[in-house]
Amino acid sequence: MLLYDSPVSGNCYKVRLLFAHLGLPYERRFVDVVDRSNRPELLGGLNPALRVPTLVLDDGRSLGESGAILWYFAEGTAFVPDDRFERAQVLQWMFFEQYDHEPSIAVVRFWVAYSGRPDAFADRLEERRAAGYRALDAMERHLAGGRDFFVGASPTLADVVLYAYTHVADEGGFDLAGYPAIGAWLARVAAMAGHVPITA
C-alpha cells in the first residue's frame, strides 16, 4: 500500500497510528501541506478533493479522507465495536472531530505553527480558538463521567481520531492544563501497545 502523507498532518497521523496498532505495512510518499501546486498531477486521478491522506491499495484502488481509510481497515477489529449502538457512537465522535474539533484546533495549529505566515490569520485566531475550546469542553465533559475511552471500555476509532490533533493542540496555543480528564485520556492512548508518535 502507498500512503500519500504529510508528517505534520494529524489526519495523516490517524492513518499511520491505526496502521501501527494493526501491524499493517505500507509505503509513504511525502506531500507538502503548504505548497499545493503539484496536487492535481500527484493526486488528481486518486482523490477528487486533492487532499492527504490518500491511500492506494495493493490492487490499485484508492481511498481518500482519513475517516474512510480508518473505517475500511478497522472494520472487523476491536477499533470498531460489534454492538450496533456503540458503532454509531464511534461515528458520532468521528463526525464531531471533523465538524467541530479539526476545523478549529487543527486549523489554528496549522496557521500558527506551519503556515509560515501566522500574521495573515491573526484577525481570525480568537474566534477559531474559542471554537476549539468549546470542542475541548465537550470532550472533557464526556470523559469526566468516569470513562477511560470515548466509546465503551476499550479504545476505538473515536480515540484514534480525537487523539491526533488533541495531543498537539499546544502547538496552536491551546492550554490543556484545565482539562484533567483529557490529560489522563491522552496518557492512556499514548501508553497503548503499538502506539507511535506523530513524528514517527
Side-chain angles (χ1 to χ4, degrees), residues 94-117:
M94 292 177 74
F95 297 151
F96 165 85
E97 192 273 341
Q98 285 289 282
Y99 187 78
D100 290 310
H101 185 283
E102 196 266 1
S104 51
I105 293 173
V107 168
V108 170
R109 172 181 176 257
F110 176 76
W111 287 349
V112 170
Y114 297 102
S115 70
R117 50 192 189 99

Side-chain angles (χ1 to χ4, degrees), residues 118-133:
D119 293 345
F121 306 103
D123 60 332
R124 294 151 70 189
L125 278 176
E126 184 178 348
E127 181 272 330
R128 287 293 179 112
R129 277 217 182 97
Y133 278 117

Side-chain angles (χ1 to χ4, degrees), residues 108-194:
V108 170
R109 172 181 176 257
F110 176 76
W111 287 349
V112 170
Y114 297 102
S115 70
R117 50 192 189 99
D119 293 345
F121 306 103
D123 60 332
R124 294 151 70 189
L125 278 176
E126 184 178 348
E127 181 272 330
R128 287 293 179 112
R129 277 217 182 97
Y133 278 117
R134 286 195 297 273
L136 291 170
D137 289 344
M139 293 169 63
E140 181 73 11
R141 283 193 301 271
H142 184 71
L143 292 168
R147 295 176 174 88
D148 286 340
F149 299 101
F150 273 85
V151 178
S154 59
T156 66
L157 286 184
D159 301 287
V160 172
V161 300
L162 287 166
Y163 180 85
Y165 282 113
T166 304
H167 88 289
V168 291
D170 62 312
E171 293 182 6
F174 291 94
D175 182 2
L176 298 184
Y179 297 93
I182 289 177
W185 165 76
L186 288 173
R188 280 191 291 275
V189 174
M192 288 170 55

Side-chain angles (χ1 to χ4, degrees), residues 2-200:
L2 175 62
L3 178 66
Y4 288 87
D5 172 62
S6 165
V8 303
S9 164
N11 286 320
C12 293
Y13 173 52
K14 295 168 193 175
V15 176
R16 299 196 311 270
L17 182 56
L18 180 68
F19 283 5
H21 283 303
L22 298 180
L24 296 176
Y26 64 100
E27 297 177 37
R28 293 167 68 176
R29 183 168 298 171
F30 172 78
V31 180
D32 197 317
V33 292
V34 178
D35 178 5
R36 299 177 179 228
S37 59
N38 70 335
R39 293 285 181 97
E41 55 267 30
L42 187 66
L43 299 176
L46 304 172
N47 182 343
L50 306 179
R51 282 197 291 262
V52 289
T54 294
L55 183 76
V56 180
L57 301 169
D58 289 337
D59 63 8
R61 292 179 297 168
S62 59
L63 271 176
E65 303 299 331
S66 59
I69 297 169
L70 292 172
W71 197 266
Y72 179 83
F73 286 96
E75 208 168 15
T77 76
F79 287 93
V80 174
D82 292 330
D83 179 78
R84 182 180 178 187
F85 184 73
E86 289 191 348
R87 284 199 306 276
Q89 288 181 309
V90 169
L91 287 170
Q92 168 191 304
W93 285 108
M94 292 177 74
F95 297 151
F96 165 85
E97 192 273 341
Q98 285 289 282
Y99 187 78
D100 290 310
H101 185 283
E102 196 266 1
S104 51
I105 293 173
V107 168
V108 170
R109 172 181 176 257
F110 176 76
W111 287 349
V112 170
Y114 297 102
S115 70
R117 50 192 189 99
D119 293 345
F121 306 103
D123 60 332
R124 294 151 70 189
L125 278 176
E126 184 178 348
E127 181 272 330
R128 287 293 179 112
R129 277 217 182 97
Y133 278 117
R134 286 195 297 273
L136 291 170
D137 289 344
M139 293 169 63
E140 181 73 11
R141 283 193 301 271
H142 184 71
L143 292 168
R147 295 176 174 88
D148 286 340
F149 299 101
F150 273 85
V151 178
S154 59
T156 66
L157 286 184
D159 301 287
V160 172
V161 300
L162 287 166
Y163 180 85
Y165 282 113
T166 304
H167 88 289
V168 291
D170 62 312
E171 293 182 6
F174 291 94
D175 182 2
L176 298 184
Y179 297 93
I182 289 177
W185 165 76
L186 288 173
R188 280 191 291 275
V189 174
M192 288 170 55
H195 181 83
V196 293
I198 194 169
T199 53

